[in-house]
Amino acid sequence: SMALNEGANLISFYAIPDDNSVGNVLLDIQDNATGIIGEGVAASQISPGIWVGSLSTIEPGAGYWLKLDQPDNLDFTGIYVGYDLEYTLNEGSNLISFPHPITTSIGELLQSLNSSNI
């Protein structure tokens, strides 16, 4: 379950269903979601369950801006994507996920990375 606010929500997924299509992942909030934007891709819902645009699937390594008309909870069952996810980063800004069910401080996270490149 993911609590979401009205307007734009910056989200990622630590679990994804076998059918990772945008329409399936967002099925629970299809009456409320208006659009989703990823890095270089986007989709808009033109009627309940009908998504159009260049974004067709939700990927475990990606981050997304999800726009809602009102606060809601996104509920679905998915498969945990694991701790061994690797990222290919572009120079400059990247919109990536944090695919873990636990929270951690940014400082603790950066200690485990090669922070000279960040």
Side-chain angles (χ1 to χ4, degrees), residues 23 26-34 45 47-51 72:
L26 302 180
L27 182 65
D28 184 55
I29 57 171
Q30 72 179 357
D31 294 333
N32 191 8
T34 58
Q45 186 173 211
S47 64
I50 307 297
W51 291 87
D72 209 338

Side-chain angles (χ1 to χ4, degrees), residues 11-29:
I11 64 171
S12 64
F13 297 87
Y14 66 85
I16 297 178
D18 283 331
D19 177 358
N20 65 334
S21 65
V22 171
N24 184 62
V25 174
L26 302 180
L27 182 65
D28 184 55
I29 57 171

Side-chain angles (χ1 to χ4, degrees), residues 78-92:
I79 299 166
Y80 179 62
V81 296
Y83 288 97
D84 58 351
L85 186 63
E86 291 186 21
Y87 297 92
T88 300
L89 301 175
N90 302 310
E91 184 177 336

Side-chain angles (χ1 to χ4, degrees), residues 47-93:
S47 64
I50 307 297
W51 291 87
V52 297
S54 58
L55 177 61
S56 59
T57 59
I58 300 296
E59 300 300 328
Y64 300 95
W65 284 102
L66 176 62
K67 187 174 179 189
L68 302 179
D69 285 334
Q70 58 190 355
D72 209 338
N73 287 314
L74 174 58
D75 297 312
F76 66 88
T77 302
I79 299 166
Y80 179 62
V81 296
Y83 288 97
D84 58 351
L85 186 63
E86 291 186 21
Y87 297 92
T88 300
L89 301 175
N90 302 310
E91 184 177 336
S93 299

Side-chain angles (χ1 to χ4, degrees), residues 91-104:
E91 184 177 336
S93 299
N94 291 267
L95 183 55
I96 62 171
S97 68
F98 181 74
H100 301 292
I102 60 169
T103 59
T104 186

